């Protein structure tokens, strides 16, 4: 099924009262500017003019102007990005669909660290678990990016960058009220004290809500309202030890509680959902001559509890990440980004239908990667990279990136990108009662090309991108060894394009419009069908 979408975005948030000590930042005109510096596309700071990838930036100024919205609301205004369930009750799980790819094929990062949920079938992260008050900036990298980021970066990467303590101490207090009995309070502190930086943000959201399901047209039944509560805490700490060593720590906690329904036309009383997530990250930045090395260790735990009229289920996922990356200039025209990473996953699940325990439902991955970035005075740029991934269950696999681009007069950028990516089987797909230890990772090849044209400096920008993505060994539910199980049996072919225009006539007024088209086909052993329903 084909999907056409055209959108002109304007926002009017909840009625609100806000007290801010300190001045709001000026309008950031460089959201799509070629001079905008991004980190997600190369895992090191680079101007958009120096990279041949499609990166959309949601700036701190845009987030400040989105009072009354949630993070899924804001992400839903990006070309080619759809948040499934965003118009439903806030308590419903939100799935990320980028350029038509299925849920779980877009990697979510918090401050550059993956935050998958090891307890669910796809391994996807529920984006609603991040309170928008704690976010400083978001970078959306489109296209296959497994060379730099590993598994799940098939359609792209969303990097959520949290607020840090920078500059003079600032306290912010916010309040909001809206329909459906909605009340929100937030308190934030950020500042720098000598060589120590601190950022703390706390928020609380309560909503009486509404029923996602509706009665049948011929029924006069009244469905109960499904309430939603969100409590979030974010702490960022930085310490400069010397000119060559900086330490940092990051703690994120979120609790979502909600009432749920039982599908279309079916109300559900006493059906509740309680999700708690913890993210703890420790890192260091070490200056090595003219290069930089970053070392990160993180622990991500997600606990999902469901209670359907006294029938409880609990799903816990734990992921430990450790990685070290090096950015080093080999010459004036050539940089190297390389590194290695280790990831350990386990899940503990207790349901009326069975259980999974961490001692048997666990695996690990080790990866090494390198990317070379070439930049000439004539405007030609090139990234060449590869990654070797070793999985404890299925073995090893390789990915690559070939990404040339050309910059003309510092205003017009042409680019092409040929890359491969992969998504490893989830713990549930491997070890549950329907598990299959012979599963291979889903593998993809993506081609994209286009241009980015700054028609008027910092005032008018036009961009176009075309993509073609082929996915092999798509995991589905079928027959394996005489029983129903997860198997590699399908292929997916997607293609489309995006046109974006941003105009900023003045510092107080801007317009963003886009047209996005996606066309996809699922191929099985017996038939093919158009399957992009969103």
């Amino acid at each position: 099924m084909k999907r056409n979408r055209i959108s002109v975005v304007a926002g009017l948030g909840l009625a609100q009262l806000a007290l801010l000590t300190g001045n709001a930042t000026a309008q950031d005109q460089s959201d799509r500017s070629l001079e905008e510096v991004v980190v997600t596309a190369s895992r090191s700071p680079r101007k958009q003019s120096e990279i041949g990838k499609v990166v959309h930036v949601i700036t701190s100024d845009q987030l400040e102007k989105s009072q009354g919205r949630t993070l899924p609301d804001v992400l839903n205004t990006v070309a080619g990005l759809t948040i499934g369930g965003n118009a439903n009750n806030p308590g419903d799980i939100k799935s990320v669909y980028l350029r038509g790819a299925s849920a779980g094929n877009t990697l979510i990062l918090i401050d550059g660290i993956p935050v998958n949920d090891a307890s669910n079938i796809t391994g996807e992260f529920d984006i609603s678990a991040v309170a928008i008050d704690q976010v400083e900036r978001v970078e959306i990298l489109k296209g296959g990016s497994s060379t730099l980021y590993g598994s799940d970066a098939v359609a792209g990467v969303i990097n959520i960058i949290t607020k840090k303590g920078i500059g003079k101490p600032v306290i912010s207090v916010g309040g909001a009220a809206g329909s459906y009995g909605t009340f929100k309070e937030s308190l934030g502190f950020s500042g720098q004290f000598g060589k120590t930086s601190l950022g703390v943000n706390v928020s609380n959201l309560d909503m009486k809500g509404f029923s996602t399901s509706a009665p049948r047209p011929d029924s006069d039944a009244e469905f109960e309202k499904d309430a939603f509560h969100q409590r979030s805490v974010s702490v960022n700490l930085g310490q400069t030890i010397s000119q060559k060593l900086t330490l940092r720590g990051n703690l994120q906690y979120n609790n979502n509680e909600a009432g749920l329904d039982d599908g279309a036309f079916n109300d559900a009383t006493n059906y509740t959902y309680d999700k708690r997530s913890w993210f703890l990250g420790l890192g260091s930045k070490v200056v090595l001559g003219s290069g930089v090395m970053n070392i990160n260790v993180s622990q991500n735990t997600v606990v999902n509890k469901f209670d359907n009229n006294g029938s409880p289920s609990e799903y816990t996922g734990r992921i430990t990440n450790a990685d070290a990356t090096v950015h080093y200039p080999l010459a004036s025209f050539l940089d190297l980004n390389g590194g290695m990473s280790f990831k350990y996953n386990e899940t503990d699940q207790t349901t009326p239908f069975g259980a999974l325990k961490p001692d048997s439902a666990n695996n690990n991955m080790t990866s090494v990667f390198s990317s070379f970035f070439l930049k000439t005075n004539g405007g030609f740029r090139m990234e060449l990279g590869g990654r070797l991934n070793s999985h404890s269950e299925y073995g090893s696999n390789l990915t690559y990136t070939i990404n040339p681009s050309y910059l003309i007069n510092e205003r017009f950028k042409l680019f092409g990108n040929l890359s491969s990516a992969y998504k490893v089987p989830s713990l549930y797909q491997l070890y549950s009662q329907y598990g299959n230890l012979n599963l291979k990772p889903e593998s993809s090849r993506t081609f994209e090309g286009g241009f980015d044209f700054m028609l008027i400096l910092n005032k008018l920008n036009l961009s176009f991108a075309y993509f073609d993505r082929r996915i092999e060994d798509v995991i589905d539910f079928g027959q394996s060894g005489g029983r129903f199980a997860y198997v590699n049996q399908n292929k997916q072919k997607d293609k489309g394009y995006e046109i974006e225009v941003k105009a900023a006539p003045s510092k107080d007024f801007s317009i963003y419009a886009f047209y996005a088209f996606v066309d996809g086909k699922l191929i099985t052993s017996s038939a093919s069908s158009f399957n992009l329903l969103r």
Side-chain angles (χ1 to χ4, degrees):
M1 180 175 179
K2 296 182 179 180
R3 170 177 176 254
N4 294 293
R5 180 174 181 181
I6 186 166
S7 175
V8 176
V9 180
L12 188 61
L14 297 175
Q16 59 184 326
L17 298 173
L19 174 63
L20 299 176
T21 63
N23 296 326
T25 59
Q27 171 71 31
D28 189 339
Q29 303 281 3
S30 60
D31 170 44
R32 286 291 294 160
S33 167
L34 293 175
E35 294 301 304
E36 173 79 350
V37 176
V38 296
V39 297
T40 310
S42 60
R43 297 191 69 155
S44 61
R46 293 183 186 277
K47 294 180 180 180
Q48 293 228 34
S49 60
E50 297 177 344
I51 57 177
K53 298 177 181 178
V54 180
V55 183
H56 187 104
V57 179
I58 300 174
T59 65
S60 58
D61 185 71
Q62 289 172 307
L63 292 170
E64 285 184 9
K65 288 179 168 59
S66 299
Q67 299 292 332
R69 293 185 176 188
T70 63
L71 182 58
D73 289 335
V74 177
L75 290 174
N76 217 38
T77 65
V78 176
L81 179 58
T82 301
I83 307 299
N86 191 55
N88 294 350
N89 192 300
D92 291 351
I93 296 175
K94 307 299 186 290
S95 295
V96 176
Y97 301 97
L98 181 58
R99 288 181 166 178
S102 59
N105 278 280
T106 301
L107 180 63
I108 309 299
L109 310 175
I110 292 181
D111 293 328
I113 307 299
V115 286
N116 311 71
D117 183 353
S119 69
N120 64 33
I121 294 176
T122 65
E124 65 180 296
F125 181 76
D126 184 2
I127 201 76
S128 67
V130 181
I132 194 170
D133 311 86
Q134 300 171 1
V135 181
E136 174 70 24
R137 171 185 175 95
V138 182
E139 294 182 1
I140 299 104
L141 170 63
K142 299 177 183 179
S145 302
S146 285
T147 294
L148 289 178
Y149 290 102
S151 179
D152 298 6
V154 174
V157 176
I158 297 176
N159 189 10
I160 301 167
I161 301 169
T162 59
K163 293 180 177 179
K164 313 292 192 301
I166 300 175
K168 294 182 179 180
V170 174
I171 296 176
S172 60
V173 180
S179 54
Y180 303 108
T182 301
F183 294 94
K184 181 178 180 179
E185 309 85 34
S186 62
L187 174 64
F189 170 83
S190 66
Q192 200 157 354
F193 307 90
K195 296 182 178 181
T196 303
S197 62
L198 177 64
V200 180
N201 290 275
V202 181
S203 65
N204 178 74
L205 173 63
D206 294 293
M207 183 178 186
K208 292 183 179 179
F210 54 90
S211 176
T212 299
S213 297
R216 295 182 182 277
D218 57 352
S219 171
D220 57 358
E222 293 187 8
F223 286 2
E224 70 168 354
K225 296 179 180 179
D226 296 312
F228 175 68
H229 309 281
Q230 182 183 70
R231 297 165 183 85
S232 299
V233 178
S234 171
V235 180
N236 280 282
L237 181 65
Q239 182 67 46
T240 300
I241 305 299
S242 68
Q243 290 183 342
K244 294 187 176 183
L245 177 61
T246 303
L247 304 179
R248 55 185 178 269
N250 181 7
L251 171 65
Q252 303 281 329
Y253 171 76
N254 178 272
N255 177 211
N256 284 1
E257 297 178 357
L260 299 176
D261 285 317
D262 194 23
F265 305 116
N266 292 311
D267 195 12
T269 58
N270 300 318
Y271 186 13
T272 61
Y273 168 53
D274 186 337
K275 176 193 181 92
R276 299 173 188 267
S277 60
W278 297 265
F279 174 79
L280 175 63
L282 299 173
S284 64
K285 177 181 177 181
V286 183
V287 177
L288 302 172
S290 56
V292 174
M293 179 172 66
N294 287 283
I295 301 173
N296 296 289
V297 178
S298 66
Q299 177 69 44
N300 179 37
T301 301
V302 181
V303 180
N304 299 278
K305 294 182 179 180
F306 297 86
D307 191 334
N308 193 350
N309 287 285
S311 178
S313 300
E314 183 171 329
Y315 305 82
T316 300
R318 301 182 186 90
I319 298 177
T320 302
N321 278 294
D323 68 63
T325 61
V326 175
H327 168 69
Y328 202 89
L330 301 176
S332 60
F333 58 89
L334 185 64
D335 291 351
L336 167 66
N337 273 4
M340 61 184 302
S341 65
F342 174 80
K343 182 177 182 179
Y344 175 81
N345 308 266
E346 67 175 30
T347 186
D348 187 351
Q349 304 184 11
T350 302
T351 76
F353 311 102
L356 285 176
K357 294 303 177 183
D359 57 350
S360 58
N362 67 78
N363 58 39
N364 63 79
M365 292 179 285
T366 304
S367 300
V368 292
F369 76 92
S370 64
S371 282
F372 295 90
F373 294 85
L374 173 68
K375 176 184 177 181
T376 69
N377 293 329
F380 179 74
R381 286 92 169 95
M382 168 74 82
E383 177 192 355
L384 292 173
R387 186 185 193 99
L388 172 63
N389 181 64
S390 178
H391 191 275
S392 60
E393 204 63 64
Y394 67 75
S396 61
N397 60 289
L398 285 164
T399 62
Y400 62 86
T401 296
I402 305 171
N403 181 204
S405 63
Y406 196 84
L407 183 66
I408 304 172
N409 294 330
E410 303 294 328
R411 303 276 288 272
F412 185 78
K413 181 178 72 174
L414 290 168
F415 66 89
N417 188 15
L418 179 63
S419 61
S420 62
Y422 65 98
K423 176 176 174 57
V424 303
S426 69
L427 295 175
Y428 189 88
Q429 291 167 341
L430 288 170
Y431 304 111
S432 71
Q433 65 268 40
Y434 305 110
N436 180 359
L437 295 179
N438 294 318
L439 285 175
K440 297 182 292 184
E442 298 181 352
S443 60
S444 70
R445 187 276 300 151
T446 301
F447 167 77
E448 59 182 333
F451 65 82
D452 201 337
F453 190 13
M454 193 187 303
L455 294 165
I456 302 176
L457 184 64
N458 288 333
K459 290 185 179 296
L460 181 61
N461 200 94
L462 172 67
S463 63
F464 170 84
Y466 169 84
F467 71 93
D468 183 296
R469 181 178 58 237
R470 310 292 175 95
I471 306 178
E472 303 281 343
D473 296 318
V474 176
I475 299 174
D476 200 356
F477 203 63
Q479 286 278 345
S480 176
R483 66 184 183 95
F484 287 105
Y486 289 99
V487 294
N488 298 104
Q489 66 175 7
N490 298 332
K491 298 180 181 180
Q492 177 77 34
K493 296 183 178 182
D494 306 322
K495 60 183 179 180
Y497 58 88
E498 299 150 1
I499 303 172
E500 298 179 72
V501 179
K502 182 175 181 181
S506 70
K507 67 177 183 179
D508 300 315
F509 180 68
S510 63
I511 299 172
Y512 169 62
F514 70 81
Y515 178 88
F517 171 84
V518 181
D519 185 10
K521 182 167 62 174
L522 179 69
I523 302 172
T524 68
S525 57
S526 58
S528 64
S529 60
F530 292 101
N531 70 320
L532 292 182
L533 303 182
R534 296 175 177 81

